[in-house]
Amino acid sequence: MNNVLYPYRQKSCNFELDWIKIELFFTLVCEEQLWIFYTLLLQPKPENAITIGVSARVLFNMEKEQQIYEQQGMEEYIKYQVEHETQPFSPGPAFSFVKALEAVNTRLRELYPESEELFDVVLMTNNHAYVGLRLINTINYHKLFIERFCMTGGNSPIGYLKAYHTNLYLSADPVKVREALEEGIAAATMFTPEKITEVSETQLRVAFDGDAVLFSDESERIYKAHGLDKFFEHEKTHENKLQMDPVILLYSFCCLQGPLKGFLEALGKLQKKFYGKGQRMDCPIRTYLVTARSAASSGTRALKTLRSWGLEIDEALFLAGAPKGPMLEKIRPHIFFDDQMFHVEGAAEMGTVACHVPYGIAQRITKKGIHDKETSSAPQES
Amino acid sequence: MVSTIQNTDVKQKDADRAVVVAVTSRAVFESGADGDDVYGMGVAFPLLQALQRVNERLLEENPAESLLFDVVLITTDSQQQQQSSRIISSTRHYGLEVSRFCFSSEEDFVESLQKNNVQLFLSTDRNEVPQASQKGVLSALLDRQEAPSEQLRVMFCGDAVNRPDAGPMPASRQAAQSFSAQLGEMRQRFGMSDSPLSIVLMTSHGGRESCGGALRTLRSRGVNVDEAYCLAGAPLSPILSVVRPHFLLSDGFSGLED
């Protein structure tokens, strides 16, 4: 089977609109099937913030209220919320993550007082605005810096996520998370561990699984089908970046990236701002790759792909199939993303705040099972 | 010259309790070819249907309900005055629940609004809206809707809701207060979900305290807000295109500068 790619080059052109920069790359022609694709890369201008949408249920502990909603219905739920308006919620699984984002912002403001390249946390909830005052009171009580919110009163938050150019959406509702992913927004379902391991208040730590999170889950298949291995073998390093055929680079960029690649990229951009001021050792952001792959070939391939995208990861842990829970307990990330519930549950059992990214082939089999559970969960809550 | 004609097709509302909403005929109807007897549907058409739906649902809950929308079609220029019969026949053609037609000109349309006890004036004309507002009539600008919703969606712009209680209240602010109170009362006739009416609050500049304050103020007027959006300086139009309110209300001048 001759699946060789014949690169067809065009001039690349860029143009800028108010808030986005569009780069038109090369086109690619494959001999087998004459498919040609163009890629339009929409990049938010660097001046813009990294927007993180969090739902109320992951930011705060609303278990009791959720129970009331499920067992007694909407009216009772609202009544309870309003009656307890002055009682702040206790922190939820996303709380320490948000606090860590704020710690990073504080450090960024010290170094770059004029810059708007900061984390911007938006409370994105399905709740009615009746519950709004209790949420605002709680934000005040915990001294969080959340000034933007959307309380959609039962409507889907997806449109608002897009309107805010959300870089990452965290919710307890897997239906909304899947909707967001389908719209091209990085999203994950956050679970609450029984007991949350203490995490750093000064350094944000984010851990990612590789396949179907940073990389497309079909990367293995694509590599083999198009013999991309040989392109990665003959690498030349130049200023810490791989020198590759730009067409292959483009191809890998389009077809191999996973839903959270953009978020890692955003973290990397902020990290470089600290490096630029000589704060590499003391950087308040640290990223981890925690993968079931082994270090040999498939593991190094992962790292090479990341480098070809201009991305760096601080620590890569290749577990060669071993459970992730104990490793994560050592790392103590504020948040861990994985596409497989098995790993998410394993991590949560050991105290890590783990999020499920319902993306890729693994989901298509389990989708039916989850759907039955969803019909009994609260559609209005998020 | 100002004249009022009742629409005998439609049952007249209780003058004391009904919420009188005046919409310009230019907003409701699109002028087609001169030969046509009936106008085309204009920008405000979906809004009128939404108002009608609220009335229908209110009457379903309570057939003796008197707190209903009382829709008045008003012409605001002399040219439109000439078209009076076409306006009336078009209204009947579409079966619109319009109880009265007010015919006036540029000089006296505000007088007509006041005479008819109009509590909310809606127009597509950027000059008419502030004119009415300055004379104490709560007014809002109507815009073409991309995908108008069936549910009546009213947006309050919260930066205007919070004002220190200093000095005499401008007349239109008083109108805004009483209108919002009536709207709040109407909203309470329905449950949390499946309401034909949604009350939306948006604060564009302030942070969460600003929005929280607006929520409290509205609640003190008996208005429980369904949806709240605190923008804290983020651009308006992307959010507006998702929220899709039929109109926005802010004190004094309506129509947000994007």
Side-chain angles (χ1 to χ4, degrees), chain B residues 25-209:
Chain B
S25 48
R26 205 189 295 115
V28 178
F29 296 123
E30 208 130 276
S31 47
D34 275 323
D36 295 343
D37 284 326
V38 167
Y39 285 114
M41 300 190 274
V43 165
F45 213 85
L47 164 70
L48 249 65
Q49 291 177 316
L51 290 168
Q52 231 160 287
R53 230 169 269 119
V54 174
N55 279 357
E56 281 163 25
R57 288 284 303 273
L58 283 168
L59 290 169
E60 262 177 43
E61 301 287 323
N62 174 13
E65 180 65 74
S66 53
L67 181 66
L68 300 168
F69 285 117
D70 185 5
V71 180
V72 168
L73 230 57
I74 182 164
T75 65
T76 50
D77 66 52
S78 333
Q79 219 185 18
Q80 283 188 338
Q81 269 191 325
Q82 314 288 330
Q83 305 291 324
S84 57
S85 57
R86 255 174 97 189
I87 290 171
I88 296 174
S89 62
S90 300
T91 304
R92 290 194 162 130
H93 170 86
Y94 290 111
L96 293 176
E97 197 190 330
V98 169
S99 57
R100 276 164 289 159
F101 303 94
C102 297
F103 297 102
S104 55
S105 64
E106 296 92 342
E107 296 85 27
D108 51 27
F109 82 88
V110 182
E111 183 197 324
S112 177
L113 292 172
Q114 290 163 328
K115 264 179 70 173
N116 281 278
N117 195 25
V118 167
Q119 281 144 291
L120 175 66
F121 169 59
L122 299 168
S123 167
T124 45
D125 189 308
R126 284 184 180 269
N127 294 316
E128 285 171 6
V129 167
Q131 267 184 284
S133 189
Q134 271 157 21
K135 294 285 175 65
V137 180
L138 181 66
S139 314
L141 192 66
L142 289 176
D143 230 332
R144 182 166 293 279
Q145 290 267 296
E146 279 280 329
S149 83
E150 292 204 343
Q151 182 193 55
L152 177 67
R153 298 171 64 72
V154 181
M155 179 182 271
F156 290 99
C157 299
D159 301 284
V161 173
N162 290 327
R163 286 278 161 77
D165 295 285
M169 264 201 289
S172 73
R173 209 194 304 163
Q174 199 161 19
Q177 277 191 13
S178 61
F179 175 77
S180 56
Q182 285 180 300
L183 207 67
E185 208 188 321
M186 262 188 196
R187 178 64 187 87
Q188 276 175 33
R189 304 275 198 262
F190 307 105
M192 296 301 307
S193 45
D194 193 35
S195 165
L197 159 66
S198 180
I199 299 179
V200 182
L201 169 68
M202 179 164 76
T203 51
S204 48
H205 295 110
R208 61 177 188 268
E209 275 316 310

Side-chain angles (χ1 to χ4, degrees), chain B residues 209-226:
Chain B
E209 275 316 310
S210 175
C211 197
L215 283 170
R216 279 192 199 91
T217 305
L218 285 169
R219 188 196 283 180
S220 69
R221 293 185 200 165
V223 185
N224 282 322
V225 175
D226 291 290

Side-chain angles (χ1 to χ4, degrees), chain A residues 74-75 85 128-130 133 136-137 139-140 144 146-153 155 159-160 163-164, chain B residues 153 191-192 207-209 211-212 215-216 219 224-232 234 238-239 242-243:
Chain A
M74 175 70 92
E75 313 273 337
E85 204 164 80
H128 272 77
Y130 291 51
L133 284 168
I136 293 173
N137 289 340
I139 293 171
N140 290 342
L144 293 171
I146 299 174
E147 297 294 347
R148 287 202 181 111
F149 52 80
C150 291
M151 296 174 192
T152 69
N155 297 313
Y160 301 98
Y164 274 119
Chain B
R153 298 171 64 72
M192 296 301 307
R208 61 177 188 268
E209 275 316 310
C211 197
L215 283 170
R216 279 192 199 91
R219 188 196 283 180
N224 282 322
V225 175
D226 291 290
E227 304 168 39
Y229 303 96
C230 184
L231 266 53
I239 300 292
V242 187
V243 178

Side-chain angles (χ1 to χ4, degrees), chain A residues 57-61 63 90-97 190-200 328-329 332-335 347-354:
Chain A
R57 257 169 81 196
V58 296
L59 183 59
F60 302 126
N61 182 339
E63 276 170 19
S90 56
F95 190 87
S96 52
F97 174 60
M190 189 175 262
F191 292 87
T192 310
E194 283 276 328
K195 218 180 68 163
I196 301 182
T197 314
E198 218 182 276
V199 288
S200 166
L328 288 165
E329 215 220 340
R332 302 194 171 204
H334 293 85
I335 194 168
E349 261 163 43
M350 302 211 60
T352 299
V353 174

